[in-house]
Amino acid sequence: MASFRSFLFEKGIKLSVERALRKGISERGMDEKRQMLDTVARKLAKLPKDCKVQKLEIEGLYAEWLSSEHSSEEKVILYLHGGGYAFCSANTHRPLAASIGKAAGMRVLFPEYRLAPEHPFPAAIEDAVNVYRWLLRQGYDPANIIFAGDSAGGGLSVAATLVLRDQNEPLPQAIVCLSPWVDLTGSGESYRKNKEVDPYLTIQGVKDAALMYSGHKPLDHPLISPVFADLTGFPPLFIQAGNHEILQSDAELLAKKARQAGVEVTFKIWDKMWHVWQISGDRLPEAKMAVSEIGNYIKKVLK
């Protein structure tokens, strides 16, 4: 049963989105929209108290190492943030990535991949693959690397793994997907079923983001919408989604396709949770529980 606090959170998100729409956020330029999202996200959660942030550059990309006092030096989570491939940054997702790293007892590498519409498909995939290859060149064992991502970052984690598999490169030990956006055609039932309860994602908004990212390529391209790919040979998948989000079907389809391909899948739908609720941090009981489950899963697969 969802907590009363989650009920208040969801109502607050809905009111905030309605207020932003009344102020004409949809008419603003991309830079202003991104700045507004950064400002809002900073209020949602805080970094773990002992988190250390080390800035670096990888293949021309800004990136950060996130770690705590007890983080393993040999094991790493490569975290790919969400935001419809067009928004968000380390500023918006640093607390979530750091919290997952702390729960797993591992360092997190957080790159800021190139964003659409300035850099449409396949720029983000190229960046994710290049950062992974950089990790391998630093001496990290693929068996000690986890791909993780939320929303578009979840889809990006799967797409990058497809590229690596098809080029016969070593794969990460597992993939963690939070509310993954993996069907940019919007074919799932939840787009209709959950459109009234989803507190901030809209069908039109998702369609607009899909067209920005795809760069006029077919939306059912397997690297754009990985639910249309053959996932044979994939590492284990861990998936969380909520039944108050229009992307619920994306997660369900991903789990189904993976299982059909013989992939080990750990999948849970959270009652009355919305898109990437995990980002709400310690203030939301369900976010704390979800991050704890992610941490326990990663510890298990990286014994």
Side-chain angles (χ1 to χ4, degrees), residues 25-26 28-37 87:
I25 186 173
S26 57
R28 310 286 176 91
M30 289 298 292
D31 287 342
E32 190 173 358
K33 287 179 183 176
R34 288 168 180 159
Q35 289 171 6
M36 291 174 73
L37 274 172
F87 300 99

Side-chain angles (χ1 to χ4, degrees), residues 143-179:
N144 287 330
I145 300 175
I146 297 287
F147 276 1
D150 64 279
S151 193
L156 182 52
S157 297
V158 178
T161 304
L162 282 167
V163 171
L164 293 166
R165 183 204 62 186
D166 290 348
Q167 295 186 8
N168 296 314
E169 297 188 54
L171 303 183
Q173 185 67 9
I175 306 171
V176 172
C177 294
L178 317 183
S179 298

Side-chain angles (χ1 to χ4, degrees), residues 22 33 38-39 77 85 129 133 143 152 158 166 169 171-172 205 209 226 229 254 264 298:
R22 285 198 302 272
K33 287 179 183 176
D38 276 21
T39 300
I77 298 168
Y85 293 106
V129 169
R133 289 171 176 160
V158 178
D166 290 348
E169 297 188 54
L171 303 183
L254 178 62
E264 179 186 325
I298 292 173

Side-chain angles (χ1 to χ4, degrees), residues 1-286:
M1 182 177 176
S3 67
F4 180 65
R5 185 170 293 184
S6 74
F7 170 80
L8 296 177
F9 254 78
E10 190 173 34
K11 293 295 183 187
I13 292 169
K14 230 169 206 177
L15 289 171
S16 297
V17 169
E18 289 170 359
R19 190 179 304 119
L21 289 173
R22 285 198 302 272
K23 290 182 177 180
I25 186 173
S26 57
E27 309 302 321
R28 310 286 176 91
M30 289 298 292
D31 287 342
E32 190 173 358
K33 287 179 183 176
R34 288 168 180 159
Q35 289 171 6
M36 291 174 73
L37 274 172
D38 276 21
T39 300
V40 171
R42 286 195 194 100
K43 299 175 182 177
L44 283 176
K46 295 181 179 180
L47 278 173
K49 288 183 180 179
D50 63 343
C51 179
K52 298 175 184 176
V53 181
Q54 178 187 347
K55 301 176 182 179
L56 70 157
E57 185 177 295
I58 302 173
E59 304 289 331
L61 301 176
Y62 174 80
E64 294 179 353
W65 277 114
L66 307 174
S67 61
S68 59
E69 185 180 350
H70 302 292
S71 296
S72 167
E73 292 293 323
E74 294 79 30
K75 301 174 182 180
V76 59
I77 298 168
L78 174 52
Y79 194 89
L80 301 169
H81 69 81
Y85 293 106
F87 300 99
C88 299
S89 64
N91 286 335
T92 58
H93 284 69
R94 187 185 296 116
L96 173 58
S99 296
I100 290 172
K102 185 173 183 179
M106 296 169 57
R107 299 174 83 195
V108 176
L109 181 59
F110 190 119
E112 289 190 344
Y113 56 85
R114 289 171 292 168
L115 301 176
E118 300 94 326
H119 304 284
F121 169 82
I125 300 174
E126 292 170 349
D127 291 346
V129 169
N130 285 337
V131 172
Y132 176 73
R133 289 171 176 160
W134 179 87
L135 275 174
L136 298 185
R137 292 198 300 273
Q138 305 311 302
Y140 284 94
D141 186 337
N144 287 330
I145 300 175
I146 297 287
F147 276 1
D150 64 279
S151 193
L156 182 52
S157 297
V158 178
T161 304
L162 282 167
V163 171
L164 293 166
R165 183 204 62 186
D166 290 348
Q167 295 186 8
N168 296 314
E169 297 188 54
L171 303 183
Q173 185 67 9
I175 306 171
V176 172
C177 294
L178 317 183
S179 298
W181 190 30
V182 286
D183 179 11
L184 275 65
T185 71
S187 65
E189 180 190 2
S190 62
Y191 284 83
R192 270 63 62 184
K193 184 184 71 174
N194 291 344
K195 67 179 181 179
E196 300 300 328
V197 295
D198 193 312
Y200 66 88
L201 289 185
T202 65
I203 294 175
Q204 189 59 51
V206 170
K207 283 182 179 177
D208 291 344
L211 292 173
M212 268 199 296
Y213 175 61
S214 67
H216 305 295
K217 299 290 193 304
L219 293 178
D220 61 356
H221 188 296
L223 291 180
I224 293 175
S225 296
V227 293
F228 298 107
D230 176 5
L231 303 179
T232 300
F234 256 51
L237 273 172
F238 176 96
I239 307 168
Q240 291 178 338
N243 66 4
H244 274 198
E245 60 175 308
I246 60 175
L247 298 194
Q248 178 184 342
S249 293
D250 285 50
E252 292 169 340
L253 285 168
L254 178 62
K256 180 181 178 180
K257 286 298 295 282
R259 285 171 174 152
Q260 287 174 344
V263 178
E264 179 186 325
V265 178
T266 303
F267 179 38
K268 181 177 177 180
I269 294 288
W270 287 64
D271 188 40
K272 295 184 174 62
M273 289 297 107
W274 52 91
H275 190 60
V276 196
W277 74 94
Q278 301 91 337
I279 205 168
S280 301
D282 287 348
R283 294 190 298 160
L284 182 68
E286 288 83 357

